[in-house]
Amino acid sequence: QKTDRGLIAAVDFVGIYEGDGIPDGQKSVTVSILYQSPKETLSDGRVGKVQSKVIKNLKRIGGTVRGVE
């Protein structure tokens, strides 16, 4: 499934954490995603749909997002 990459203006790596609270053999990776459109003001709903696709694709490759079922 293709994510609407046109609304993702930047993805920045923030950091990696291993240690307390993270299961053995896993890492916590933090990224920041900037959603932006040169054509329109983005609504929460529009960004939410794109973010849901990002999370779905992350799960497809074995990742998880804390706080998201």
Side-chain angles (χ1 to χ4, degrees):
Q1 181 175 356
K2 185 177 177 182
T3 302
D4 188 354
R5 294 185 188 128
L7 297 182
I8 299 175
V11 178
D12 294 315
F13 171 77
V14 177
I16 294 178
Y17 175 76
E18 296 178 87
D20 293 338
I22 305 298
D24 288 340
Q26 294 186 7
K27 299 175 185 176
S28 175
V29 178
T30 305
V31 296
S32 172
I33 301 173
L34 173 64
Y35 301 97
Q36 191 173 42
S37 171
K39 299 177 183 176
E40 62 185 304
T41 299
L42 297 175
S43 67
D44 290 344
R46 181 86 188 273
V47 171
K49 287 179 184 178
V50 176
Q51 187 169 338
S52 292
K53 289 179 183 179
V54 169
I55 291 168
K56 183 177 179 179
N57 286 329
L58 178 65
K59 288 180 177 182
R60 186 176 52 80
I61 62 169
T64 59
V65 178
R66 283 186 278 163
V68 176
E69 306 261 338

